[in-house]
Amino acid sequence: MAAAPDSATLQSQAIRVFLDCQGRIRGCDRDFIVTDVNFVNWMRDRFDADVQILVSGLTNGGGGTENTITFIGRRRFEGMADTLVLNTLPNDPDDRIRRELARTFKLGLARFVAKSPIASRIQLAYIAPFGQNQQQASAANLKDKWNLWTYTTNFNAFVRAEDRQQSINGSLSLSANRATEKWKMNFSLSGNVNEQRFEIPATTTRPAFTVTNEQRTYNANALIVRSLSSHWSAGMKLGAGYSDFLNQDLALRAQPAIEYNLFPWTEQTRRQLTFLYNVGPNYYDYQRTTVFNRDNETRISQQATASYVARQSWGSSNVSLDWLNYLHDFNRHALTLSGNVDLRLGRGFSLNVGGSAARINDQIYLPRAGNTEEEILLQRQALQTGFRITTNIGIRYTFGSIYNTIVNQRFSSLGSSGGRFSFFFF
């Protein structure tokens, strides 16, 4: 599909399109797409567009991404809409993904462009398969030697050293996942080690000394889920862990769970309203005796979570309310409300608000001896608290030209405003 590169015609007659990639969509490279899909006018605001392309993604069974691409008609195309789905593999290079996205955008825009003055400049091409052998190979792909299992390994290491301080951080994770229409299975192993060393120089009142901080976390988790209907699911969560921060030499848990989605799961990329409940035993073996004089204990806990996720043309939102308590003592509980809303309120104006608020009274793992000044400053272990609040708010307003079609990457290594060279006036 191509159009004659007549910029004057494009400016005056081509349809106006706004690209709306919800969240971090891999391959949604705007500069590339604007350059490759050159038969439309790209707008910087949806209120100026004839078509809004809404892209939302979820992890698919193979570990890649299922991108749901919705074409929403606006202004003269009001009431027209279409949806296409593009699946990518976890090891697909970014260049292939962005080219597939651009190709899909061209297909979805075709019906809108066909009703515009530049329709006569558009040609649609078909790339035929290379003979019967390729067709047979495509059918053979349905026979998966991995039986839909995907495996991922990840290793990270960070080292920083100076005269008086050193920091080493390393993490390793292994996972195996399988997803079908009926079953979902996730298994993972992970570990993280963080070591810090600070050399405090001597003063006239005390000698030099060294402070060392070491934190380790190891986890093993399993999740098995069975789809019962278009709304109901049931599953089991299993876990084992070690955490210096949580004062736990060993933590074991088994949590049967059930979930209900008010909307059909076929709409999961656009909206979800889920209610999840799980209950089961937890075993803890502590590093230090807790404030309740326990070196180890087994406790049954229950947890209920309500969560809403929406990705619409006006923006995106996610809100969740989570309740957890131990059945042996209902005073040992935690209530957490969290969420984030990204709203496009008007032409060039958007508002982002997020945060969480938690009422905390479930810290049965706190050590009886308390924390030293060194442990508090280094955040070596969790501290007693009755609440936790986080907030963020952002406002953005853009004005000027409504067109956003030109791509110019010169001197891009300095940032959009030459940020690597700064001048300060006092």
Side-chain angles (χ1 to χ4, degrees), residues 409-422:
Q409 288 289 306
R410 293 170 178 82
F411 277 55
S412 58
S413 61
L414 299 182
S416 59
S417 59
R420 287 178 58 187
F421 295 110
S422 302

Side-chain angles (χ1 to χ4, degrees), residues 77-374:
F77 297 124
E78 193 73 35
M80 292 179 60
D82 201 358
T83 300
L84 300 177
V85 176
L86 172 65
N87 281 283
T88 64
L89 299 175
N91 295 324
D92 280 344
D94 288 346
D95 182 65
R96 181 184 182 279
I97 296 176
R98 68 181 185 175
R99 291 183 184 278
E100 285 298 299
L101 281 173
R103 182 185 63 82
T104 307
F105 293 165
K106 293 174 183 178
L107 291 174
L109 289 170
R111 64 178 298 207
F112 298 94
V113 176
K115 299 180 181 294
S116 72
I118 69 165
S120 60
R121 297 175 175 266
I122 301 297
Q123 294 182 348
L124 186 64
Y126 170 66
I127 302 175
F130 296 106
Q132 186 67 22
N133 290 336
Q134 181 165 335
Q135 295 178 4
Q136 293 174 350
S138 298
N141 289 335
L142 298 175
K143 299 179 181 179
D144 182 14
K145 66 178 181 179
W146 295 102
N147 194 26
L148 299 179
W149 282 96
T150 60
Y151 305 90
T152 304
T153 63
N154 186 33
F155 172 75
N156 292 283
F158 173 82
V159 178
R160 177 177 178 176
E162 298 181 7
D163 284 343
R164 294 180 177 176
Q165 61 180 342
Q166 298 84 41
S167 178
I168 300 174
N169 181 274
S171 63
L172 174 66
S173 64
L174 308 170
S175 67
N177 305 282
R178 186 177 190 268
T180 67
E181 292 294 330
K182 292 294 184 181
W183 290 96
K184 175 180 178 180
M185 290 178 281
N186 297 338
F187 302 93
S188 65
L189 295 171
S190 64
N192 182 277
V193 177
N194 183 26
E195 294 185 6
Q196 296 172 300
R197 180 183 178 90
F198 304 92
E199 296 181 5
I200 311 301
T203 66
T204 56
T205 58
R206 57 163 177 75
F209 65 97
T210 299
V211 176
T212 301
N213 178 38
E214 180 178 286
Q215 288 181 311
R216 295 165 295 167
T217 302
Y218 309 109
N219 285 295
N221 291 287
L223 173 66
I224 302 174
V225 180
R226 177 69 162 85
S227 301
L228 303 178
S229 70
S230 60
H231 296 273
W232 286 97
S233 307
M236 172 71 76
K237 297 165 58 179
L238 303 172
Y242 170 100
S243 174
D244 289 325
F245 186 75
L246 298 179
N247 186 34
Q248 295 171 350
D249 272 334
L250 179 64
L252 300 173
R253 59 185 57 88
Q255 301 276 319
I258 191 167
E259 181 183 52
Y260 176 77
N261 187 356
L262 184 65
F263 304 111
W265 280 108
T266 54
E267 302 178 19
Q268 59 188 324
T269 60
R270 295 293 302 276
R271 58 179 182 171
Q272 301 175 30
L273 178 55
T274 58
F275 301 91
L276 176 68
Y277 176 78
N278 53 275
V279 60
N282 305 267
Y283 171 77
Y284 303 113
D285 183 23
Y286 298 110
Q287 296 176 349
R288 296 191 289 172
T289 304
T290 69
V291 290
F292 297 102
N293 294 316
R294 298 283 183 176
D295 293 315
N296 57 73
E297 59 182 331
T298 299
R299 300 299 185 190
I300 297 177
S301 67
Q302 65 177 354
Q303 185 175 8
T305 303
S307 177
Y308 175 72
V309 177
R311 300 176 181 90
Q312 303 293 335
S313 60
W314 46 260
S316 61
S317 65
N318 61 82
V319 181
S320 66
L321 181 64
D322 182 87
W323 167 267
L324 180 146
N325 74 275
Y326 289 95
L327 298 187
H328 75 284
D329 184 354
F330 273 71
N331 287 326
R332 306 274 77 81
H333 64 266
L335 178 66
T336 305
L337 174 66
S338 61
N340 185 82
V341 179
D342 188 355
L343 297 175
R344 296 180 177 90
L345 300 178
R347 192 181 303 275
F349 181 65
S350 64
L351 173 68
N352 182 278
V353 180
S356 65
R359 176 70 174 89
I360 300 172
N361 197 30
D362 64 338
Q363 296 176 294
I364 62 175
Y365 50 80
L366 294 175
R368 181 179 60 186
N371 302 99
T372 65
E373 292 183 358
E374 180 180 296

Side-chain angles (χ1 to χ4, degrees), residues 384-418:
Q384 181 179 2
T385 182
F387 71 94
R388 182 180 299 116
I389 296 176
T390 63
T391 60
N392 66 272
I393 183 170
I395 299 174
R396 183 176 61 195
Y397 180 66
T398 305
F399 58 93
S401 172
I402 65 173
Y403 296 102
N404 200 1
T405 302
I406 306 301
V407 175
N408 190 331
Q409 288 289 306
R410 293 170 178 82
F411 277 55
S412 58
S413 61
L414 299 182
S416 59
S417 59

